Amino acid sequence: APPGHTQDGGQETSFRWQCVEQPIGKLLFRRFLEGSPQFAAAGALWAEIEAFEQCEDTEREAAAKRLRSRFFTPGGSEHCGFLSAAATAAPAG
C-alpha cells in the first residue's frame, strides 16, 4: 500500500479508493458534502470539476473561467477558502 495507507483484510482503505473509485462510497461521500452547509461548496466544486473533465476542448476555457469565479475568487458565490493559493492559481500561459 502507498505510505500512510493501511490495508484491512487485503482491501485498500485510502480516501481515493473509498470515496473516489468505489461508486457507493463516492455517492455517500458526495451526499455527506452536499448535506453539510460547511462542505456544500466543496461538494459542488467536485461535481463541477468532474463536469469540466468531460467538456469538449472548445468549452474548457469558458468552463475554467466559470469555475474560478464561482469557487476560487473571494466573494464568489461558493468560494472555497480552504483551498491553497497554489491550488486556485490560474495556469501560466
Side-chain angles (χ1 to χ4, degrees):
H5 296 156
T6 60
Q7 297 266 337
D8 181 15
Q11 190 62 70
E12 177 70 47
T13 59
S14 69
F15 170 83
R16 171 169 283 287
W17 186 86
Q18 291 182 334
C19 299
V20 178
E21 296 172 4
Q22 296 302 306
I24 190 68
K26 182 176 183 176
L27 175 65
L28 292 172
F29 187 65
R30 292 276 286 272
R31 284 189 177 168
F32 164 75
L33 291 175
E34 292 162 1
S36 304
Q38 68 268 37
F39 302 129
L45 174 59
W46 188 351
E48 290 299 320
I49 287 174
E50 287 192 333
F52 174 82
E53 290 173 348
Q54 302 300 315
C55 278
E56 296 293 329
D57 288 344
T58 56
E59 301 168 354
R60 283 188 170 235
E61 187 173 343
K65 285 180 182 177
R66 286 192 303 272
L67 276 169
R68 278 194 295 277
S69 67
R70 181 174 168 190
F71 298 105
F72 302 163
T73 305
S77 62
E78 294 179 275
H79 179 234
C80 293
F82 55 84
L83 294 171
S84 70
T88 61

